[in-house]
Amino acid sequence: MINLSGLLVPTIVGLVTVPWYLRLIGEVRYGVLLLAFTLLGYFGAFDLGLGRAVAQRIARQEDRAERNRTFWTAFILSAGMGVLGGIILYFLGHWLFAEIFQIPAALRGEAQKAIPWLAAIVPLIALISVLAGTLEARQAFLSLNVSQIIGVIGLQTFPLLSVVLGHGSIATLVAAALAGRLLGVLVMFWLTALRLPFLGWPQPQRSEIGPLLRFGGWVSVSGAVIPLLTIIDRVIIGARLGAAAVTAYTVPFNLTQRLTYLPYALSTTLFPRFSQAQGEDAKRLLRQAVIALTAIQTPFIVLAILLMHPFLILWIGADLAAKMAPVAIILLLGIWINGPAYIPYAYMPAQGRPDLMTKFYLTELVPFLLILWALIAWLGIVGAALAWAIRSSADAIFCFVATGTTKTYGRAISLTLIPVIAAALIASVALPASLVIPMGGAILAVSLGTSYYLLPVALRVRMTFWRKSALSPHSSEW
């Protein structure tokens, strides 16, 4: 619940700030800013996968001195690789913004001036990964979420504050984002010092490098491939359709990704437990979590599909809503299929097999790029959404096959299929409100009933107990 709350606060901030960005700097300039942050997201791979490696190792370590040696070794390695990534971004970014992205000539100079500031953020991203992995391993989820909330809010609001103060160039916006991210890093470092806790002076250990890199190596390769799979759509859209199309795709993409917060929060919470559990205990926990997550997320997906178009109209206006709503609905269907796969995705590296998912990513990379290129050429941003949904479905299938939970997932997803498809059909057809409201209410009710039936018995019993406790009168008399 703490992890989920920590993700919801930045979501609320984003819902408030996006319309202001569009109003104050315009759709095209905002698209250029999103391209800059998209490029920055790829260079998060320069942490060498050390964040996940640290989480896995420290979760198993009992000795305080041993935990400190692991942390400082990973911290210094990550800082060095972050600096290297920043240098590469500095030179690569100039070429991309000058030659590849379709940016209006008036904004090219601004975008190129922002490159040094973008490069300066890369080491911070690398350090955040190690700090977050340490807090996760110590199960200090409150500290982790407080620091992440501060960093994300700074990243979203500092650039907007800069615009309000009359400094709206892209370089200034990115510099303000750097200040916001730095604030989050400082808070996270302080909380890590308290929760690890630090012991004496930093003592990196050469013997720790091998185990960290062996585990982190596969995660790092995964970290290099995942951004290609997840951000290349915006890069291709920017190169072929222009900055305005990047905005029309990225806004619904970022909005719908908020529905992945529940799977992410649950998988993050379970990762230390998967690292400690063995054999049938780990498998039982895996199966129960897959079923529970499928049941819990389905009503949220149904509700999001039904409300997406009217919400977009209220949020950013009818013109942009007409472009973005089909993209959002397709992405939501992909999230519904892929969401439960977050559990086996966390299970595999926690059990010492970070290589499995990485090998699959490498296998699917070229086919996905071909599908993405063809669908964008054919259907524009809707084609990009379709390609993303196809890839997410393939990832989910592999996760369940690799962990032997295909039957568990198949049963859960088949029981929740009808309300999701019905919601998508209603949302895709122009119907009067007098029909949409009762039909949507009925579909949501069916999804809630189905999800409750699907929940593991232990969780249903617990929910019944909570409900009875809430309804019973409190009395001090005996």
Side-chain angles (χ1 to χ4, degrees), residues 188-406:
M188 188 175 287
F189 185 85
W190 172 62
L191 291 172
T192 302
L194 296 177
R195 298 297 183 182
L196 187 58
F198 287 172
L199 181 66
W201 292 95
Q203 294 181 341
Q205 192 84 12
R206 181 175 296 180
S207 61
E208 285 287 332
I209 295 176
L212 284 170
L213 292 181
R214 278 193 295 273
F215 185 95
W218 282 110
V219 179
S220 183
V221 174
S222 176
V225 177
I226 288 175
L228 278 177
L229 295 170
T230 56
I231 71 173
I232 195 65
D233 46 7
R234 278 148 283 178
V235 173
I236 295 176
I237 290 170
R240 300 196 64 176
L241 305 178
V246 173
T247 299
Y249 178 79
T250 304
V251 169
F253 183 90
N254 289 343
L255 180 63
T256 56
Q257 289 302 300
R258 309 314 188 201
L259 271 295
T260 66
Y261 285 176
L262 176 62
Y264 176 79
L266 182 56
S267 63
T268 300
T269 303
L270 289 175
F271 185 86
R273 293 183 61 186
F274 282 145
S275 298
Q276 296 164 357
Q278 299 295 328
E280 184 55 33
D281 289 340
K283 281 286 188 179
R284 186 182 305 109
L285 179 61
L286 171 65
R287 290 191 294 267
Q288 290 176 347
V290 167
I291 294 172
L293 180 54
T294 305
I296 294 170
Q297 77 160 7
T298 297
F300 290 102
I301 295 291
V302 168
L303 186 62
I305 290 173
L306 292 170
L307 295 181
M308 183 55 63
H309 196 188
F311 172 77
L312 287 172
I313 292 174
L314 292 173
W315 189 39
I316 53 176
D319 292 340
L320 284 174
K323 301 176 187 177
M324 296 179 182
V327 172
I329 291 171
I330 294 169
L331 294 172
L332 286 170
L333 291 174
I335 291 169
W336 171 66
I337 295 170
N338 182 261
Y342 276 63
I343 305 300
Y345 181 82
Y347 175 86
M348 287 184 281
Q351 292 287 304
R353 294 303 307 271
D355 58 304
L356 292 176
M357 201 66 214
T358 304
K359 292 173 181 176
F360 181 73
Y361 285 146
L362 291 171
T363 301
E364 74 172 347
L365 178 59
V366 173
F368 169 67
L369 292 177
L370 293 174
I371 292 171
L372 177 65
W373 186 272
L375 287 177
I376 288 177
W378 180 29
L379 298 171
I381 60 174
V382 172
L386 279 171
W388 185 90
I390 291 169
R391 181 191 64 79
S392 296
S393 301
D395 291 349
I397 292 170
F398 176 80
C399 282
F400 294 114
V401 170
T403 56
T405 50
T406 309

Side-chain angles (χ1 to χ4, degrees), residues 420-477:
V420 173
I421 297 302
L425 289 174
I426 288 178
S428 302
V429 179
L431 294 174
S434 58
L435 289 178
V436 171
I437 293 175
M439 291 174 66
I443 292 170
L444 181 60
V446 170
S447 72
L448 287 168
T450 304
S451 294
Y452 183 78
Y453 169 77
L454 185 59
L455 284 172
V457 175
L459 187 55
R460 272 191 279 169
V461 171
R462 189 174 303 174
M463 290 175 64
T464 303
F465 173 77
W466 290 338
R467 187 170 65 249
K468 289 180 179 179
S469 298
L471 294 175
S472 64
H474 296 282
S475 174
S476 59
E477 297 178 3

Side-chain angles (χ1 to χ4, degrees), residues 26-104:
E27 186 179 349
V28 175
R29 188 181 296 270
Y30 187 54
V32 175
L33 184 64
L34 290 174
L35 275 175
F37 287 139
T38 297
L39 183 61
L40 179 65
Y42 180 76
F43 283 82
F46 276 84
D47 75 330
L48 288 178
L50 292 171
R52 184 56 77 186
V54 163
Q56 197 259 3
R57 282 185 65 77
I58 291 181
R60 296 182 174 186
Q61 293 171 339
E62 299 294 335
D63 182 66
R64 181 178 171 185
E66 188 179 9
R67 293 198 301 265
N68 270 262
R69 287 193 293 268
T70 298
F71 169 78
W72 284 113
T73 303
F75 188 86
I76 293 172
L77 283 173
S78 189
M81 290 305 301
V83 170
L84 176 61
I87 293 171
I88 294 174
L89 175 58
Y90 177 82
F91 291 103
L92 182 63
H94 284 284
W95 172 68
L96 288 172
F97 280 102
E99 304 293 337
I100 302 300
F101 297 143
Q102 289 189 23
I103 298 174

